């Protein structure tokens, strides 16, 4: 489901006021938690799953926390000698490929927050908004996805 942010909400998000989100963490959990690649999407406590293919097909990764840049998810918030991309796992088409600019569908298991998949890094540009407890094929940012954030309106 694609949603447009009302002007007032957009201004609040731009100022960082609308960013009430689940607990934030550095990239460690998104990279190394068993929730990311060892558990199925249904069994994982991570609430966002991003898929290589449309209709939730191919490889995927469970993600628990907002990601500033899929191609460079920093661990501890500081550079550690190069980029640290998040990659698809769980086998199938796209397994081992970087998530940035390679995703076609997403699922949001969260009961409260919207899962927003952005065109640009840093939660910027066009976006697909996924309502709580739904999933869909990406339309606006299909194979042009660079970041993800939890959002409220």
């Amino acid at each position: 489901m694609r949603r447009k942010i009302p002007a007032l909400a957009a201004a609040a998000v731009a100022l960082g006021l609308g960013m009430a989100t689940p607990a934030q963490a550095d990239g460690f959990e998104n990279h190394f938690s068993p929730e990311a690649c060892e558990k199925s999407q249904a069994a994982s406590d991570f609430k966002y799953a991003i898929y290589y293919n449309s209709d939730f097909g191919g490889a995927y990764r469970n993600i628990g926390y907002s990601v500033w840049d899929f191609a460079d998810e920093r661990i501890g918030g500081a550079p550690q000698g190069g980029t640290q991309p998040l990659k698809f796992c769980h086998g199938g088409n796209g397994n081992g490929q970087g998530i940035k600019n390679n995703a076609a569908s997403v699922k949001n298991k969260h009961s409260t927050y919207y899962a927003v998949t952005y065109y640009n890094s840093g939660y910027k540009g066009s976006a697909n908004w996924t309502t709580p407890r739904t999933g869909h094929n990406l339309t606006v940012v299909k194979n042009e996805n660079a970041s993800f954030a939890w959002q409220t309106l």
Side-chain angles (χ1 to χ4, degrees):
M1 176 178 157
R2 182 178 176 198
R3 294 186 54 105
K4 294 183 179 178
I5 305 173
L8 185 57
V13 170
L15 294 172
L17 301 174
M19 298 285 289
T21 59
Q24 297 296 307
D26 61 37
F28 185 84
E29 289 293 321
N30 284 334
H31 271 285
F32 300 113
S33 173
E35 301 297 326
C37 288
E38 294 176 24
K39 292 186 177 181
S40 71
Q41 203 275 320
S44 177
D45 286 337
F46 283 176
K47 305 293 186 196
Y48 176 76
I50 189 163
Y51 292 78
Y52 184 78
N53 292 125
S54 297
D55 301 320
F56 320 114
Y60 67 94
R61 185 180 197 97
N62 299 312
I63 297 176
Y65 303 93
S66 295
V67 177
W68 182 262
D69 182 349
F70 284 127
D72 194 11
E73 172 74 330
R74 300 293 169 106
I75 300 169
Q80 281 90 27
T83 61
Q84 299 174 20
L86 285 179
K87 296 180 179 183
F88 290 105
C89 44
H90 291 285
N93 291 337
N95 190 49
Q97 296 290 315
I99 292 172
K100 187 170 186 174
N101 297 331
N102 281 322
S105 57
V106 297
K107 286 185 181 178
N108 177 6
K109 293 192 317 182
H110 207 286
S111 61
T112 306
Y113 296 100
Y114 290 85
V116 187
T117 310
Y118 291 92
Y119 183 87
N120 293 323
S121 299
Y123 321 126
K124 296 178 184 169
S126 301
N128 277 112
W129 286 66
T130 308
T131 57
R133 297 184 180 151
T134 66
H136 62 87
N137 290 329
L138 296 172
T139 54
V140 176
V141 298
K142 181 179 180 181
N143 295 323
E144 295 291 342
N145 54 289
S147 59
F148 151 75
W150 295 109
Q151 296 283 359
T152 61
L153 288 182

